[in-house]
Amino acid sequence: MKFTLQNGVLQTAMPDKYIGTPAKDGSWMDIFNNFSEAFIQGELELIIKPIGYFLRDFGQFLWEWFIFILPDLMGYGAVFYGALIILGAMTSKGQMMKHLGRFGAYLIAATCILGSV
């Protein structure tokens, strides 16, 4: 496409015209253009869309599974962090507040997730 600069504004040299002559109906360029459009459309329908639908459905399945199992995970987390606190006290390492802080953060996040669904 050709451009010209007129009064500081960039404009096309021929606004409503082709550069050269347009392809005639039935010419080899028209046939090639139709073939490439059909090929790209077929590629979208056969490859891209099924992959996109699979990823969308799989992500939705994982999210639903995560929401379903989240209360159980929080219960197991309470037992796990309780055991960590006990083991920390037994080995004189302490760090009870670190474990309680982590569990509290996870519990708040789980409550927000479950409350919004």
Side-chain angles (χ1 to χ4, degrees):
M1 181 161 273
K2 296 179 183 178
F3 295 98
T4 59
L5 188 63
Q6 296 174 353
N7 299 328
V9 178
L10 194 64
Q11 295 179 349
T12 58
M14 297 176 278
D16 294 329
K17 297 181 181 178
Y18 287 96
I19 296 175
T21 58
K24 296 176 180 65
D25 289 337
S27 67
W28 69 273
M29 197 62 186
D30 195 33
I31 293 169
F32 181 72
N33 191 20
N34 290 337
F35 171 75
S36 63
E37 286 178 6
F39 181 76
I40 295 298
Q41 191 64 23
E43 180 181 313
L44 286 174
E45 292 292 327
L46 294 176
I47 297 172
I48 303 297
K49 281 188 180 179
I51 291 172
Y53 289 147
F54 170 76
L55 291 176
R56 184 195 65 192
D57 292 343
F58 187 67
Q60 185 176 1
F61 167 75
L62 281 180
W63 179 253
E64 290 173 358
W65 175 79
F66 176 71
I67 294 299
F68 179 73
I69 204 167
L70 187 58
D72 292 335
L73 289 176
M74 291 315 297
Y76 297 143
V79 172
F80 175 71
Y81 279 111
L84 283 180
I85 289 169
I86 292 170
L87 289 174
M90 287 171 55
T91 58
S92 300
K93 296 284 183 181
Q95 299 180 349
M96 178 178 78
M97 292 311 292
K98 183 166 82 171
H99 298 308
L100 285 177
R102 256 195 226 133
F103 179 68
Y106 295 148
L107 188 63
I108 290 170
T111 305
C112 290
I113 290 171
L114 290 175
S116 67
V117 175

